[in-house]
Amino acid sequence: AKHEGRNNFQYYAGQMNASAWRRLKLETELRRALEREEFVLHYQPKADLQSGKVVGMEALLRWQSADRGLVAPGEFISVLEETGMILPVGEWVLRTACKQACLWQAAGFPDIHIAVNLSAMQFRQPDFASLVLGIMRESGLEPALGVIELELTETVLMHNSAGTLDTLRKLHEAGMRLSIDDFGTGYSSLSYLKRFPINSLKIDQSFVQDLPVNPDDEAIVAAIIALGRSLGLGLIAEGVETEEQLARLRRMGCNQMQGYLFSRPVPAAEMTYLLQNGG
Ligand code: C2E
Ligand code: CA
Ligand code: CA
Ligand code: CA
């Protein structure tokens, strides 16, 4: 039994080392990824629910790794956040989205809108608003034209500090559009909708998924739409995959949709093609 116990211990210790080792390896690779410019942005269109036209898009981070292939953010965003690497990577995302917006404007799409995702940690940097506005102006984009929109989660608003409010006010006063991502999944109270200068709500895909079959989800989506409308906010449904979901959302008065039904996130070149042909 003694012998067995020791083997067990070695077995578990070995497991822990293996997972700690994997994590360390991932962290090291991610540090190199930024230097080697292995991050890329894919773009997913947002469409108007009535006209079906592309009205904007969301930039989504990918890691094009030589060893691992194209890696989705679910595999590495938490490591970037835990290590603080999300700060330089987040800056890179914003710069890249701005550059791409300028390229598309020059290519004859003046009304392009790109939404960029932000982590709570980015908001906690001192003077984050100046950083964002500086990056935009360096790229030649006037913030007030609404070319770049910022998506924040309820976690950002939950850190209900004077700093957060100040940052959001500065961005809003400069004319930037702000939306709340994954709306309805967070823990914060609804009073932040009154306190913070928000333009639109993104209805989380978990509520959209079972829309035609689940009356609870239908009730939640209807409530979010009613709330958004009465506060004068734009409403966009995420993760729309079926015609049934689309029809239901349209009838419920949602404004915009995003999801595989319309298009998956695609590389910039494919988005150019979509803009030329599907806009
Ligand atoms: P999110 O911001 O909620 O983005 C929506 C996610 O849903 C994306 O996953 C998108 O590819 C996926 N999606 C879109 N349509 C559908 C659909 O019809 N069905 C299903 N099942 N999924 C759909 P992705 O690209 O893997 O990104 C995951 C999350 O990673 C994002 O969730 C966001 O929280 C985070 N993220 C992505 N890019 C960035 C970034 O540049 N910065 C930060 N801080 N976070 C990012
Ligand atoms: Ca988002
Ligand atoms: Ca979302
Ligand atoms: Ca999400």
Side-chain angles (χ1 to χ4, degrees), residues 194-235:
K194 227 172 65 180
R195 234 175 6 249
F196 296 112
I198 300 299
N199 299 97
S200 54
L201 305 178
K202 297 191 77 176
I203 304 169
D204 191 67
Q205 56 189 59
S206 62
F207 304 123
V208 174
Q209 223 102 80
D210 298 328
L211 205 48
V213 290
N214 187 327
D216 290 343
D217 285 337
E218 173 132 13
I220 291 170
V221 171
I224 295 175
I225 291 173
L227 177 71
R229 287 187 136 191
S230 64
L231 292 170
L233 304 172
L235 291 153

Side-chain angles (χ1 to χ4, degrees), residues 178-192:
L178 306 171
S179 62
I180 303 183
D181 207 349
D182 306 339
F183 187 76
T185 60
Y187 291 100
S188 42
S189 94
L190 290 177
S191 65
Y192 61 68

Side-chain angles (χ1 to χ4, degrees), residues 49-50 203 208 211 221 225 237-238 240 244-257:
L49 262 178
Q50 298 305 326
I203 304 169
V208 174
L211 205 48
V221 171
I225 291 173
E238 298 191 277
V240 180
E244 289 88 342
Q245 292 164 353
L246 179 69
R248 205 57 72 96
L249 287 160
R250 196 180 275 141
R251 218 178 313 137
M252 291 167 101
C254 190
N255 311 127
Q256 295 178 12
M257 66 88 101

Side-chain angles (χ1 to χ4, degrees), residues 58-60 115-118 151-153 181-182 202 238 258:
E58 176 177 3
L60 292 157
V116 170
N117 290 285
L118 296 175
E151 294 192 3
L152 24 135
T153 58
D181 207 349
D182 306 339
K202 297 191 77 176
E238 298 191 277
Q258 203 181 344

Side-chain angles (χ1 to χ4, degrees), residues 44 58 61-62 73 77 117 119 181-182 205 239 241 259-260 265:
Q44 186 179 36
E58 176 177 3
L61 184 62
R62 304 283 182 264
I77 281 278
N117 290 285
S119 289
D181 207 349
D182 306 339
Q205 56 189 59
E241 294 183 350
Y260 295 166

